[in-house]
Tab-separated table of all heavy atoms in Angstrom:
chain	number	residue	atom	x	y	z
A	76	PHE	N	9.378	114.158	-71.696
A	76	PHE	CA	8.598	112.929	-71.515
A	76	PHE	C	8.481	112.672	-70.019
A	76	PHE	O	9.415	112.197	-69.391
A	76	PHE	CB	9.314	111.759	-72.213
A	76	PHE	CG	8.562	110.448	-72.162
A	76	PHE	CD1	7.287	110.326	-72.711
A	76	PHE	CD2	9.132	109.324	-71.578
A	76	PHE	CE1	6.604	109.112	-72.681
A	76	PHE	CE2	8.469	108.095	-71.559
A	76	PHE	CZ	7.195	107.996	-72.116
A	136	PRO	N	0.848	102.418	-48.463
A	136	PRO	CA	0.530	103.122	-49.707
A	136	PRO	C	-0.073	102.198	-50.770
A	136	PRO	O	0.449	101.126	-51.019
A	136	PRO	CB	1.916	103.595	-50.160
A	136	PRO	CG	2.856	102.537	-49.648
A	136	PRO	CD	2.259	102.017	-48.382
A	138	GLU	N	-1.236	100.561	-54.364
A	138	GLU	CA	-0.405	100.251	-55.543
A	138	GLU	C	-0.909	100.909	-56.823
A	138	GLU	O	-0.122	101.200	-57.709
A	138	GLU	CB	-0.386	98.745	-55.784
A	138	GLU	CG	0.524	97.977	-54.867
A	138	GLU	CD	0.621	96.543	-55.324
A	138	GLU	OE1	1.304	96.284	-56.338
A	138	GLU	OE2	-0.014	95.679	-54.699
A	139	PHE	N	-2.218	101.082	-56.929
A	139	PHE	CA	-2.827	101.676	-58.120
A	139	PHE	C	-2.334	100.984	-59.395
A	139	PHE	O	-1.605	101.556	-60.196
A	139	PHE	CB	-2.562	103.187	-58.164
A	139	PHE	CG	-3.103	103.882	-56.946
A	139	PHE	CD1	-2.274	104.167	-55.872
A	139	PHE	CD2	-4.444	104.189	-56.852
A	139	PHE	CE1	-2.772	104.775	-54.732
A	139	PHE	CE2	-4.958	104.791	-55.709
A	139	PHE	CZ	-4.121	105.093	-54.652
A	140	LYS	N	-2.764	99.710	-59.497
A	140	LYS	CA	-2.219	98.871	-60.568
A	140	LYS	C	-2.683	99.248	-61.967
A	140	LYS	O	-2.016	98.948	-62.938
A	140	LYS	CB	-2.621	97.419	-60.313
A	140	LYS	CG	-1.869	96.820	-59.145
A	140	LYS	CD	-2.080	95.323	-59.082
A	140	LYS	CE	-1.168	94.720	-58.050
A	140	LYS	NZ	-1.777	93.623	-57.339
A	145	TYR	N	-3.244	103.781	-68.421
A	145	TYR	CA	-2.972	102.496	-69.066
A	145	TYR	C	-3.959	102.239	-70.204
A	145	TYR	O	-3.600	101.653	-71.226
A	145	TYR	CB	-3.055	101.357	-68.047
A	145	TYR	CG	-1.976	101.415	-66.992
A	145	TYR	CD1	-2.129	102.154	-65.830
A	145	TYR	CD2	-0.784	100.727	-67.178
A	145	TYR	CE1	-1.134	102.217	-64.873
A	145	TYR	CE2	0.221	100.774	-66.222
A	145	TYR	CZ	0.040	101.521	-65.071
A	145	TYR	OH	1.026	101.582	-64.132
A	148	GLU	N	-2.669	104.171	-73.123
A	148	GLU	CA	-1.504	103.483	-73.701
A	148	GLU	C	-1.960	102.285	-74.533
A	148	GLU	O	-1.497	102.077	-75.665
A	148	GLU	CB	-0.563	103.013	-72.588
A	148	GLU	CG	0.615	102.209	-73.124
A	148	GLU	CD	1.450	101.526	-72.047
A	148	GLU	OE1	1.472	101.993	-70.895
A	148	GLU	OE2	2.094	100.502	-72.392
A	209	TYR	N	4.601	109.154	-49.753
A	209	TYR	CA	4.312	108.670	-51.103
A	209	TYR	C	3.523	109.751	-51.814
A	209	TYR	O	2.386	110.026	-51.450
A	209	TYR	CB	3.519	107.362	-51.018
A	209	TYR	CG	4.303	106.290	-50.302
A	209	TYR	CD1	4.272	106.180	-48.911
A	209	TYR	CD2	5.125	105.430	-51.020
A	209	TYR	CE1	5.026	105.225	-48.254
A	209	TYR	CE2	5.886	104.469	-50.371
A	209	TYR	CZ	5.838	104.375	-48.992
A	209	TYR	OH	6.593	103.428	-48.350
A	214	VAL	N	8.335	108.409	-54.319
A	214	VAL	CA	8.584	108.034	-52.930
A	214	VAL	C	9.674	108.965	-52.400
A	214	VAL	O	10.734	109.097	-53.002
A	214	VAL	CB	9.048	106.562	-52.841
A	214	VAL	CG1	9.354	106.182	-51.397
A	214	VAL	CG2	7.991	105.629	-53.429
A	216	LYS	N	12.077	109.746	-49.232
A	216	LYS	CA	12.619	109.206	-47.989
A	216	LYS	C	12.698	110.312	-46.925
A	216	LYS	O	12.831	111.487	-47.262
A	216	LYS	CB	14.010	108.615	-48.238
A	216	LYS	CG	13.983	107.420	-49.204
A	216	LYS	CD	15.173	106.521	-48.982
A	216	LYS	CE	16.188	106.676	-50.090
A	216	LYS	NZ	17.292	105.722	-49.976
A	220	GLY	N	16.117	112.319	-47.626
A	220	GLY	CA	16.901	111.166	-48.072
A	220	GLY	C	17.059	111.112	-49.588
A	220	GLY	O	17.954	110.453	-50.104
A	221	ASN	N	16.168	111.765	-50.296
A	221	ASN	CA	16.297	111.882	-51.758
A	221	ASN	C	15.561	113.146	-52.197
A	221	ASN	O	14.772	113.711	-51.433
A	221	ASN	CB	15.760	110.638	-52.489
A	221	ASN	CG	14.294	110.355	-52.203
A	221	ASN	OD1	13.763	110.715	-51.152
A	221	ASN	ND2	13.631	109.709	-53.135
A	223	ASN	N	13.451	114.571	-55.661
A	223	ASN	CA	12.927	114.215	-56.983
A	223	ASN	C	12.522	115.459	-57.760
A	223	ASN	O	11.833	116.325	-57.242
A	223	ASN	CB	11.713	113.291	-56.851
A	223	ASN	CG	12.099	111.902	-56.372
A	223	ASN	OD1	13.283	111.565	-56.340
A	223	ASN	ND2	11.120	111.102	-55.999
A	298	GLN	N	2.819	106.428	-72.021
A	298	GLN	CA	2.902	105.218	-71.202
A	298	GLN	C	2.163	105.408	-69.880
A	298	GLN	O	2.396	106.384	-69.176
A	298	GLN	CB	4.378	104.854	-70.948
A	298	GLN	CG	4.524	103.553	-70.163
A	298	GLN	CD	5.972	103.070	-70.057
A	298	GLN	OE1	6.790	103.277	-70.945
A	298	GLN	NE2	6.268	102.397	-68.953
A	299	GLY	N	1.275	104.453	-69.568
A	299	GLY	CA	0.573	104.472	-68.290
A	299	GLY	C	1.558	104.232	-67.161
A	299	GLY	O	2.462	103.410	-67.287
A	300	VAL	N	1.415	104.981	-66.072
A	300	VAL	CA	2.293	104.788	-64.912
A	300	VAL	C	1.464	104.850	-63.622
A	300	VAL	O	0.336	105.348	-63.620
A	300	VAL	CB	3.436	105.838	-64.840
A	300	VAL	CG1	4.491	105.573	-65.889
A	300	VAL	CG2	2.911	107.263	-64.936
A	301	SER	N	2.049	104.327	-62.545
A	301	SER	CA	1.388	104.311	-61.237
A	301	SER	C	2.334	104.890	-60.210
A	301	SER	O	3.476	104.448	-60.104
A	301	SER	CB	1.100	102.874	-60.808
A	301	SER	OG	0.319	102.218	-61.759
A	302	LEU	N	1.855	105.870	-59.463
A	302	LEU	CA	2.680	106.420	-58.400
A	302	LEU	C	2.170	105.833	-57.092
A	302	LEU	O	1.032	106.100	-56.689
A	302	LEU	CB	2.627	107.942	-58.437
A	302	LEU	CG	3.357	108.397	-59.706
A	302	LEU	CD1	2.643	109.489	-60.436
A	302	LEU	CD2	4.795	108.763	-59.395
A	303	THR	N	3.000	104.996	-56.479
A	303	THR	CA	2.612	104.299	-55.257
A	303	THR	C	2.055	105.292	-54.236
A	303	THR	O	2.670	106.329	-53.980
A	303	THR	CB	3.841	103.565	-54.674
A	303	THR	OG1	4.322	102.670	-55.677
A	303	THR	CG2	3.488	102.776	-53.425
A	310	MET	N	2.548	109.060	-68.851
A	310	MET	CA	3.771	109.710	-69.332
A	310	MET	C	3.444	110.219	-70.734
A	310	MET	O	2.993	109.445	-71.582
A	310	MET	CB	4.924	108.709	-69.455
A	310	MET	CG	5.379	108.066	-68.176
A	310	MET	SD	6.506	109.056	-67.172
A	310	MET	CE	8.048	108.958	-68.087
A	363	ARG	N	20.868	117.037	-62.353
A	363	ARG	CA	21.187	115.971	-63.293
A	363	ARG	C	22.521	115.285	-62.973
A	363	ARG	O	22.802	114.202	-63.465
A	363	ARG	CB	21.172	116.493	-64.729
A	363	ARG	CG	20.449	115.555	-65.659
A	363	ARG	CD	20.220	116.116	-67.039
A	363	ARG	NE	19.255	117.199	-67.103
A	363	ARG	CZ	17.944	117.059	-66.896
A	363	ARG	NH1	17.442	115.891	-66.610
A	363	ARG	NH2	17.139	118.098	-66.975
A	364	SER	N	23.341	115.923	-62.121
A	364	SER	CA	24.625	115.303	-61.769
A	364	SER	C	24.435	114.100	-60.842
A	364	SER	O	25.353	113.328	-60.632
A	364	SER	CB	25.522	116.326	-61.075
A	364	SER	OG	25.113	116.470	-59.716
A	365	GLY	N	23.216	113.950	-60.269
A	365	GLY	CA	22.973	112.793	-59.408
A	365	GLY	C	22.914	113.120	-57.933
A	365	GLY	O	22.421	112.327	-57.138
A	375	PRO	N	20.894	112.510	-52.801
A	375	PRO	CA	20.800	111.899	-54.136
A	375	PRO	C	19.532	112.342	-54.855
A	375	PRO	O	18.488	112.533	-54.226
A	375	PRO	CB	20.772	110.396	-53.856
A	375	PRO	CG	20.376	110.250	-52.432
A	375	PRO	CD	20.760	111.519	-51.720
A	376	THR	N	19.622	112.534	-56.157
A	376	THR	CA	18.470	113.017	-56.919
A	376	THR	C	17.939	111.951	-57.870
A	376	THR	O	18.662	111.048	-58.283
A	376	THR	CB	18.844	114.249	-57.769
A	376	THR	OG1	19.894	113.888	-58.666
A	376	THR	CG2	19.296	115.401	-56.900
A	377	GLY	N	16.683	112.074	-58.194
A	377	GLY	CA	16.056	111.209	-59.197
A	377	GLY	C	15.070	112.058	-59.974
A	377	GLY	O	14.533	113.029	-59.451
A	378	SER	N	14.856	111.687	-61.243
A	378	SER	CA	13.937	112.463	-62.063
A	378	SER	C	12.717	111.625	-62.408
A	378	SER	O	12.826	110.425	-62.634
A	378	SER	CB	14.652	112.893	-63.339
A	378	SER	OG	13.718	113.421	-64.246
A	379	LEU	N	11.556	112.250	-62.446
A	379	LEU	CA	10.349	111.542	-62.875
A	379	LEU	C	10.200	111.614	-64.381
A	379	LEU	O	9.485	110.848	-64.997
A	379	LEU	CB	9.119	112.171	-62.215
A	379	LEU	CG	8.959	111.777	-60.752
A	379	LEU	CD1	8.336	112.902	-59.973
A	379	LEU	CD2	8.142	110.519	-60.632
A	380	SER	N	10.865	112.601	-64.971
A	380	SER	CA	10.750	112.769	-66.404
A	380	SER	C	12.023	112.198	-67.036
A	380	SER	O	13.097	112.283	-66.465
A	380	SER	CB	10.516	114.268	-66.660
A	380	SER	OG	11.442	114.798	-67.539
A	381	SER	N	11.872	111.547	-68.176
A	381	SER	CA	12.990	110.821	-68.773
A	381	SER	C	13.799	111.712	-69.715
A	381	SER	O	13.313	112.115	-70.774
A	381	SER	CB	12.467	109.608	-69.542
A	381	SER	OG	13.480	109.061	-70.354
A	382	TYR	N	15.023	112.014	-69.318
A	382	TYR	CA	15.875	112.848	-70.161
A	382	TYR	C	16.226	112.126	-71.456
A	382	TYR	O	16.301	112.735	-72.525
A	382	TYR	CB	17.142	113.238	-69.396
A	382	TYR	CG	17.915	114.356	-70.059
A	382	TYR	CD1	17.522	115.675	-69.905
A	382	TYR	CD2	19.023	114.085	-70.852
A	382	TYR	CE1	18.215	116.708	-70.514
A	382	TYR	CE2	19.725	115.106	-71.466
A	382	TYR	CZ	19.318	116.422	-71.298
A	382	TYR	OH	20.006	117.430	-71.907
A	383	LYS	N	16.418	110.806	-71.332
A	383	LYS	CA	16.786	110.025	-72.512
A	383	LYS	C	15.696	110.125	-73.584
A	383	LYS	O	15.985	110.353	-74.759
A	383	LYS	CB	16.987	108.554	-72.119
A	383	LYS	CG	17.335	107.661	-73.268
A	383	LYS	CD	17.746	106.283	-72.788
A	383	LYS	CE	17.997	105.366	-73.951
A	383	LYS	NZ	16.881	104.407	-74.144
A	384	THR	N	14.435	109.979	-73.160
A	384	THR	CA	13.343	110.047	-74.137
A	384	THR	C	13.131	111.479	-74.620
A	384	THR	O	12.796	111.696	-75.786
A	384	THR	CB	12.057	109.451	-73.533
A	384	THR	OG1	12.390	108.217	-72.908
A	384	THR	CG2	11.019	109.193	-74.596
A	386	ARG	N	15.444	113.608	-75.147
A	386	ARG	CA	16.485	113.758	-76.171
A	386	ARG	C	16.069	113.064	-77.465
A	386	ARG	O	16.239	113.596	-78.564
A	386	ARG	CB	17.760	113.130	-75.622
A	386	ARG	CG	18.928	113.172	-76.549
A	386	ARG	CD	20.073	112.387	-75.963
A	386	ARG	NE	20.925	113.202	-75.109
A	386	ARG	CZ	21.937	112.699	-74.394
A	386	ARG	NH1	22.191	111.410	-74.400
A	386	ARG	NH2	22.691	113.495	-73.666
B	90	ARG	N	12.970	95.716	-68.944
B	90	ARG	CA	13.550	96.770	-69.776
B	90	ARG	C	12.508	97.484	-70.644
B	90	ARG	O	12.551	98.686	-70.816
B	90	ARG	CB	14.648	96.108	-70.634
B	90	ARG	CG	15.617	97.045	-71.320
B	90	ARG	CD	16.358	97.944	-70.381
B	90	ARG	NE	15.964	99.308	-70.653
B	90	ARG	CZ	16.418	100.394	-70.021
B	90	ARG	NH1	17.302	100.273	-69.060
B	90	ARG	NH2	15.987	101.567	-70.320
B	91	ASP	N	11.546	96.706	-71.143
B	91	ASP	CA	10.495	97.258	-71.999
B	91	ASP	C	9.639	98.321	-71.323
B	91	ASP	O	9.082	99.190	-71.984
B	91	ASP	CB	9.513	96.143	-72.383
B	91	ASP	CG	9.959	95.438	-73.615
B	91	ASP	OD1	11.091	95.724	-74.050
B	91	ASP	OD2	9.185	94.606	-74.126
B	92	ARG	N	9.462	98.191	-70.024
B	92	ARG	CA	8.616	99.139	-69.296
B	92	ARG	C	9.410	100.334	-68.789
B	92	ARG	O	8.850	101.375	-68.493
B	92	ARG	CB	7.926	98.472	-68.089
B	92	ARG	CG	6.853	97.471	-68.423
B	92	ARG	CD	5.751	97.981	-69.309
B	92	ARG	NE	4.884	99.001	-68.715
B	92	ARG	CZ	3.927	99.653	-69.376
B	92	ARG	NH1	3.707	99.388	-70.655
B	92	ARG	NH2	3.188	100.564	-68.783
B	93	CYS	N	10.713	100.143	-68.600
B	93	CYS	CA	11.525	101.205	-67.998
B	93	CYS	C	11.572	102.408	-68.932
B	93	CYS	O	11.870	102.286	-70.115
B	93	CYS	CB	12.930	100.697	-67.714
B	93	CYS	SG	14.044	102.010	-67.177
B	94	THR	N	11.268	103.583	-68.389
B	94	THR	CA	11.266	104.806	-69.183
B	94	THR	C	12.582	105.573	-69.036
B	94	THR	O	12.714	106.675	-69.558
B	94	THR	CB	10.132	105.742	-68.730
B	94	THR	OG1	10.385	106.129	-67.374
B	94	THR	CG2	8.774	105.073	-68.801
B	95	ASP	N	13.525	105.016	-68.263
B	95	ASP	CA	14.791	105.700	-67.968
B	95	ASP	C	14.562	107.042	-67.273
B	95	ASP	O	15.278	108.011	-67.518
B	95	ASP	CB	15.613	105.916	-69.252
B	95	ASP	CG	15.989	104.594	-69.883
B	95	ASP	OD1	16.817	103.886	-69.295
B	95	ASP	OD2	15.427	104.260	-70.943
B	96	CYS	N	13.559	107.056	-66.407
B	96	CYS	CA	13.282	108.334	-65.733
B	96	CYS	C	14.357	108.642	-64.689
B	96	CYS	O	14.701	109.789	-64.482
B	96	CYS	CB	11.897	108.310	-65.105
B	96	CYS	SG	11.692	107.200	-63.727
B	97	SER	N	14.818	107.622	-63.991
B	97	SER	CA	15.864	107.706	-62.966
B	97	SER	C	15.356	108.005	-61.565
B	97	SER	O	16.149	108.241	-60.660
B	97	SER	CB	16.974	108.707	-63.316
B	97	SER	OG	16.631	110.026	-62.913
B	98	VAL	N	14.039	107.945	-61.353
B	98	VAL	CA	13.554	108.248	-60.001
B	98	VAL	C	14.000	107.163	-59.007
B	98	VAL	O	14.172	107.428	-57.819
B	98	VAL	CB	12.021	108.499	-60.002
B	98	VAL	CG1	11.224	107.223	-60.071
B	98	VAL	CG2	11.622	109.340	-58.815
B	99	CYS	N	14.271	105.960	-59.528
B	99	CYS	CA	14.752	104.876	-58.658
B	99	CYS	C	16.207	105.102	-58.238
B	99	CYS	O	16.653	104.574	-57.218
B	99	CYS	CB	14.627	103.545	-59.387
B	99	CYS	SG	15.489	103.532	-60.977
B	100	VAL	N	16.939	105.850	-59.030
B	100	VAL	CA	18.380	106.014	-58.784
B	100	VAL	C	18.627	106.715	-57.444
B	100	VAL	O	19.509	106.340	-56.680
B	100	VAL	CB	19.041	106.786	-59.958
B	100	VAL	CG1	20.492	107.104	-59.669
B	100	VAL	CG2	18.918	105.982	-61.256
B	101	GLY	N	17.796	107.731	-57.154
B	101	GLY	CA	17.928	108.441	-55.882
B	101	GLY	C	17.435	107.627	-54.695
B	101	GLY	O	17.735	107.952	-53.551
B	102	LEU	N	16.662	106.581	-54.983
B	102	LEU	CA	16.102	105.768	-53.893
B	102	LEU	C	17.012	104.625	-53.487
B	102	LEU	O	17.065	104.252	-52.320
B	102	LEU	CB	14.771	105.154	-54.340
B	102	LEU	CG	13.518	106.013	-54.297
B	102	LEU	CD1	12.356	105.257	-54.932
B	102	LEU	CD2	13.174	106.395	-52.859
B	103	CYS	N	17.702	104.056	-54.456
B	103	CYS	CA	18.461	102.833	-54.189
B	103	CYS	C	19.594	103.108	-53.192
B	103	CYS	O	20.450	103.949	-53.428
B	103	CYS	CB	19.037	102.272	-55.485
B	103	CYS	SG	19.985	100.779	-55.188
B	104	PRO	N	19.601	102.385	-52.061
B	104	PRO	CA	20.584	102.676	-51.019
B	104	PRO	C	22.003	102.195	-51.340
B	104	PRO	O	22.941	102.600	-50.666
B	104	PRO	CB	20.032	101.933	-49.793
B	104	PRO	CG	19.180	100.837	-50.347
B	104	PRO	CD	18.639	101.337	-51.652
B	105	VAL	N	22.152	101.331	-52.352
B	105	VAL	CA	23.472	100.739	-52.584
B	105	VAL	C	24.033	101.023	-53.972
B	105	VAL	O	25.020	100.412	-54.389
B	105	VAL	CB	23.436	99.207	-52.356
B	105	VAL	CG1	23.212	98.895	-50.886
B	105	VAL	CG2	22.363	98.548	-53.210
B	110	LEU	N	22.420	105.876	-63.327
B	110	LEU	CA	22.088	106.650	-64.516
B	110	LEU	C	23.382	106.908	-65.288
B	110	LEU	O	24.296	107.552	-64.775
B	110	LEU	CB	21.408	107.964	-64.113
B	110	LEU	CG	21.037	108.929	-65.236
B	110	LEU	CD1	20.029	108.306	-66.206
B	110	LEU	CD2	20.451	110.224	-64.672
B	111	ASP	N	23.441	106.388	-66.495
B	111	ASP	CA	24.593	106.634	-67.358
B	111	ASP	C	24.480	108.073	-67.865
B	111	ASP	O	23.524	108.407	-68.577
B	111	ASP	CB	24.568	105.642	-68.531
B	111	ASP	CG	25.728	105.856	-69.499
B	111	ASP	OD1	26.125	107.024	-69.720
B	111	ASP	OD2	26.221	104.865	-70.041
B	112	ARG	N	25.433	108.915	-67.495
B	112	ARG	CA	25.294	110.329	-67.798
B	112	ARG	C	25.761	110.708	-69.206
B	112	ARG	O	25.844	111.877	-69.551
B	112	ARG	CB	25.945	111.167	-66.706
B	112	ARG	CG	24.935	111.480	-65.624
B	112	ARG	CD	25.529	111.918	-64.324
B	112	ARG	NE	25.095	111.024	-63.259
B	112	ARG	CZ	23.896	111.048	-62.713
B	112	ARG	NH1	23.023	111.926	-63.080
B	112	ARG	NH2	23.568	110.185	-61.781
B	113	GLU	N	26.019	109.709	-70.029
B	113	GLU	CA	26.245	109.956	-71.456
B	113	GLU	C	24.937	109.675	-72.199
B	113	GLU	O	24.437	110.526	-72.918
B	113	GLU	CB	27.337	109.017	-71.992
B	113	GLU	CG	28.743	109.370	-71.516
B	113	GLU	CD	29.269	110.602	-72.236
B	113	GLU	OE1	29.134	110.641	-73.474
B	113	GLU	OE2	29.788	111.511	-71.559
B	114	THR	N	24.426	108.463	-71.986
B	114	THR	CA	23.240	108.038	-72.739
B	114	THR	C	21.947	108.357	-71.995
B	114	THR	O	20.869	108.290	-72.563
B	114	THR	CB	23.267	106.518	-72.966
B	114	THR	OG1	23.234	105.894	-71.659
B	114	THR	CG2	24.520	106.078	-73.687
B	115	TYR	N	22.051	108.674	-70.715
B	115	TYR	CA	20.897	108.875	-69.833
B	115	TYR	C	20.000	107.655	-69.762
B	115	TYR	O	18.795	107.743	-69.558
B	115	TYR	CB	20.131	110.157	-70.185
B	115	TYR	CG	20.901	111.352	-69.673
B	115	TYR	CD1	21.771	112.056	-70.506
B	115	TYR	CD2	20.841	111.708	-68.335
B	115	TYR	CE1	22.543	113.097	-70.022
B	115	TYR	CE2	21.608	112.746	-67.837
B	115	TYR	CZ	22.450	113.436	-68.676
B	115	TYR	OH	23.208	114.451	-68.182
B	116	GLU	N	20.637	106.493	-69.900
B	116	GLU	CA	19.914	105.250	-69.708
B	116	GLU	C	20.121	104.807	-68.262
B	116	GLU	O	21.199	105.022	-67.701
B	116	GLU	CB	20.484	104.204	-70.677
B	116	GLU	CG	19.695	102.932	-70.692
B	116	GLU	CD	20.136	102.011	-71.836
B	116	GLU	OE1	20.255	102.482	-72.982
B	116	GLU	OE2	20.364	100.830	-71.546
B	117	VAL	N	19.090	104.215	-67.677
B	117	VAL	CA	19.222	103.715	-66.304
B	117	VAL	C	19.574	102.230	-66.358
B	117	VAL	O	18.932	101.441	-67.049
B	117	VAL	CB	17.939	103.977	-65.493
B	117	VAL	CG1	18.023	103.297	-64.124
B	117	VAL	CG2	17.734	105.483	-65.325
B	129	LEU	N	12.867	98.965	-52.328
B	129	LEU	CA	12.473	100.381	-52.449
B	129	LEU	C	12.126	100.778	-53.880
B	129	LEU	O	11.163	101.496	-54.127
B	129	LEU	CB	13.615	101.280	-51.960
B	129	LEU	CG	13.499	101.842	-50.555
B	129	LEU	CD1	14.773	102.603	-50.210
B	129	LEU	CD2	12.283	102.747	-50.424
B	130	CYS	N	12.915	100.299	-54.828
B	130	CYS	CA	12.670	100.674	-56.224
B	130	CYS	C	11.352	100.105	-56.729
B	130	CYS	O	10.755	100.662	-57.643
B	130	CYS	CB	13.818	100.219	-57.117
B	130	CYS	SG	14.080	98.440	-57.054
B	131	ILE	N	10.917	98.987	-56.142
B	131	ILE	CA	9.667	98.380	-56.604
B	131	ILE	C	8.513	99.329	-56.296
B	131	ILE	O	7.647	99.567	-57.135
B	131	ILE	CB	9.466	96.996	-55.955
B	131	ILE	CG1	10.583	96.062	-56.415
B	131	ILE	CG2	8.091	96.420	-56.288
B	131	ILE	CD1	10.622	94.741	-55.717
B	132	LYS	N	8.536	99.913	-55.104
B	132	LYS	CA	7.501	100.899	-54.748
B	132	LYS	C	7.720	102.215	-55.489
B	132	LYS	O	6.776	102.922	-55.794
B	132	LYS	CB	7.563	101.191	-53.251
B	132	LYS	CG	6.816	100.173	-52.432
B	132	LYS	CD	6.645	100.680	-51.016
B	132	LYS	CE	5.850	99.699	-50.196
B	132	LYS	NZ	6.328	99.611	-48.824
B	133	GLY	N	8.959	102.540	-55.757
B	133	GLY	CA	9.265	103.866	-56.284
B	133	GLY	C	9.194	103.977	-57.786
B	133	GLY	O	9.180	105.088	-58.308
B	134	CYS	N	9.146	102.859	-58.498
B	134	CYS	CA	9.160	102.938	-59.960
B	134	CYS	C	7.755	103.173	-60.512
B	134	CYS	O	6.907	102.303	-60.402
B	134	CYS	CB	9.741	101.662	-60.567
B	134	CYS	SG	9.561	101.635	-62.362
B	135	PRO	N	7.515	104.334	-61.118
B	135	PRO	CA	6.178	104.619	-61.644
B	135	PRO	C	5.777	103.665	-62.774
B	135	PRO	O	4.601	103.377	-62.955
B	135	PRO	CB	6.295	106.046	-62.186
B	135	PRO	CG	7.519	106.620	-61.566
B	135	PRO	CD	8.437	105.468	-61.321
B	136	ALA	N	6.766	103.189	-63.518
B	136	ALA	CA	6.469	102.326	-64.657
B	136	ALA	C	6.311	100.867	-64.235
B	136	ALA	O	6.062	100.008	-65.069
B	136	ALA	CB	7.582	102.454	-65.693
B	137	LYS	N	6.460	100.591	-62.952
B	137	LYS	CA	6.443	99.217	-62.433
B	137	LYS	C	7.405	98.326	-63.226
B	137	LYS	O	7.097	97.184	-63.579
B	137	LYS	CB	5.030	98.626	-62.457
B	137	LYS	CG	4.059	99.392	-61.557
B	137	LYS	CD	2.942	98.499	-61.061
B	137	LYS	CE	1.897	99.258	-60.260
B	137	LYS	NZ	2.407	99.862	-59.020
B	138	ALA	N	8.555	98.885	-63.505
B	138	ALA	CA	9.558	98.146	-64.271
B	138	ALA	C	10.472	97.334	-63.370
B	138	ALA	O	11.208	96.480	-63.849
B	138	ALA	CB	10.382	99.117	-65.118
Side-chain angles (χ1 to χ4, degrees):
Chain A
F76 183 60
E138 282 188 75
F139 301 97
K140 288 191 172 144
Y145 294 87
E148 176 190 335
Y209 299 86
V214 178
K216 296 204 254 186
N221 59 333
N223 289 349
Q298 183 172 328
V300 287
S301 303
L302 291 137
T303 302
M310 297 279 286
R363 225 171 290 291
S364 78
T376 59
S378 169
L379 283 148
S380 125
S381 167
Y382 194 80
K383 179 170 176 256
T384 313
R386 179 186 271 174
Chain B
R90 195 58 245 180
D91 272 8
R92 290 305 293 174
C93 172
T94 63
D95 298 290
C96 68
S97 86
V98 78
C99 56
V100 174
L102 280 174
C103 180
V105 292
L110 178 62
D111 179 324
R112 270 162 238 284
E113 288 286 313
T114 62
Y115 284 96
E116 187 170 312
V117 173
L129 260 175
C130 59
I131 296 172
K132 277 193 178 143
C134 172
K137 297 207 185 297

